[in-house]
Amino acid sequence: MKRIFTNARLMLPNEPQPKEGDLVVDGDRIALASDVADGEHRKTVDCKGRILAPGIVDLGVFAIDKPAFRFGGITRAALMPDQSPVLDLPAMIKQSAAEGKPDLWSHPIAAATPGLEGKRLAEIGLMKRSGAKAVATGRQWIADSGLMLKLLQYCRSLELPLIVHSEDAGLTSGAVATNGETATRLGLASATAAAEAVSIARDIALVRETGARLHFRQVTTADGLNLIRTAKSEQLPVTCGITPAHLLLSDIAISDFRTFARLSPPLRSEENRLACMEAVQDGTIDVISSGHDPRGPEDKRLPYAEAATGMAGAETLLALSFTLVRDGMISIGRLFELLSTNPAKILGVEAGLLLPGYEADFILVDEDGPWQVDTRKMAAAAGNTPFDGLPVQGRVTAIYKGGRAY
Amino acid sequence: MTSQKTASSQSFPAGSDAFPHRHLLGIAGLHPWEILFLLEEAKQWVDLNKKSSKHADKLDGLTVINAFFENSTRTLLSFEIAGKRMGADVVNMHAAQSSIKKGETLIDTAVTLNAMKADAIVIRHGSSGAVQLIADKVDCPVLNAGDGSHEHPTQALLDALTIQRRKGDISGLTVTICGDVMHSRVARSNIYCLTTLGAKVKVCAPPSLLPAALDRFNVEVFTNFDEALQGSDVVMMLRLQNERMNGDFIPSPREYHYLYGLTQERLKLANDGALVMHPGPMNRGVEIDSDVADNLENSAITEQVEMGVAVRMACLDILTRKSRGVEGWS
């Protein structure tokens, strides 16, 4: 049966603004409007003027958290290999890929090295066969440049993107914050933000050598972004991402030892934050993701240095990202490129665009819908957000995966 | 941090307005008159401690728990003596005996301590911010006896009291703090305390032990100790932690002593009669030479220890005034 979603504002590919129109869904796929013949048996859904946008593809979450994803409009989530046990065997990839279906598609990311220990190559070819769409170094970087070179060569030959965490561990060893006034006042072990640029510079040099596709999961410094800007101007196959927290908060947010603001990489200085904003605008940043990492009180209600890193970001991803649109920094079209189109492209999956033949993954969005972030009421497995109490606008009113409402 | 002219003892606000805080978690954020009020109150206990009978009964019937999650000898002893001289029942809880070793969280420990109805809790912890975490969960006043590399407020107060007694008004003095500033809670609390009271503060450390952004703390930053010493009225040495002495932060104790050790010869670069201080325990022959440390003309190191008891007596007195129903402290 075909369904027509009428009275919608469609977020179509390469359009900066939504366009009024209808979307036709045939089974689990998007179909062409011309496919619907007069008198054909069909169902009509009135979208009441809402934005109909591609479902969000969240690149690099640390937990599959369906209630939070549903609230946040996430139809596909790329799961980081930092699981317990680590996603470093084909069987685990296969099992993880099946989790969440049919209402959510999980794309497990293969661990680059067994146990994410950074010592030798994992069976990434076999893991690709089991459904891995990408390879990642997890929360760590790979210190051994020789191993990193081999990894990139392998990824290139297997046509898999490599997703990396960019912080030179030699510089960040023991640090829990970024160098600056806040960390010094609080007496927290901190590291130079240059740890990011050092790591990115090495990896770009190796991309130049290998031609492998490399995605820097979270780039948070002006120097790091400048390196990526230059690499892109050379047409090197590099992309990068960021989270709303790194775009909207600086290291001041960790004052009073707020463990909910303890992230990896750590929140940076205001100057770096502004550089990230600029990079979203000029296209250097390709992806905004949630980095969703729900953590309960046993992980977070600890002295700052002992608390786990990470935030529950899935629910707030869209609303916080909408801030950029409201502030006139980017168009709505560009926003959904960052949230849906580009992450799907990096993973090589047919999603993230309202195109005929693509999986009918989409959301209805009330872009002005107001709500307040409240850690006590979150749908996520845990409410560890540094945005607690913040009034936000923009919420998902309906979510469709493969044409079915959830 | 602004340099302000110090207030005289006559100008303290009345009652709890002189020190309106429930806890003493740090020096950061305290007004100059609040610090001076604490120092002024401590002075009476300095005199008492010199008498043969050192007992005051202000805290009779009250229970003070010293919860030390990190090893300490002198600070624990100082707080214990202070509490006992004030008449309180003092209970010491050592980390080795605590349930933390059994996996209990710090919050659970705080809730447990709270249920025991202590009237004041003194906490030392190895993690910055841990004391604040506990303070948020208990009903009684909390005193920070050192949390990680964050703050050690009573140490800064006892240092300030020592300087006041030896040099008079702190405002206008030049104080040089030298050593492992990066890991030192003593350095942070002293920087806040001394700059708030109007002193000019110079900070000197090897580059590997200098925290970032220190120049934003209203201090002058040096890596050359000889330069930093010039014009100093007070030289405050910091302990170099033995566990960090090789490899990671400095090449060797020998080289450290050559560049940053306080010797008699080097002390001559400071002003005549410059006061020498050290929070202890000292690494003799590394950060300070014995002939400097033991020279009573310049060295105030034992006096610092003496002032420590008086400062802690004053802090326990002031923070429990509300619960004791002292007039003006409701």
Side-chain angles (χ1 to χ4, degrees), chain A residues 142-153:
Chain A
I142 290 180
D144 182 336
S145 302
L147 179 66
M148 187 65 181
L149 175 67
K150 293 182 194 88
L151 182 59
L152 285 164
Q153 289 167 333

Side-chain angles (χ1 to χ4, degrees), chain A residues 179-188 190 256-257 271 298 301-306, chain B residues 1 106-107 125 127-130 132-133 137 149-150 188 192 211-214 216-217:
Chain A
N179 274 356
E181 187 174 340
T182 306
T184 304
R185 275 192 194 285
L186 297 177
L188 295 173
S190 59
D256 294 329
F257 302 100
E271 293 77 20
E298 61 282 0
R301 284 172 67 194
L302 295 170
Y304 188 89
E306 293 160 33
Chain B
M1 201 71 61
L106 199 57
I107 302 263
H125 198 285
S127 254
S128 303
Q132 185 177 311
L133 195 66
K137 297 286 167 197
S149 306
H150 179 222
R188 279 171 184 74
Y192 297 137
L214 203 60
R216 292 184 211 162
F217 286 62

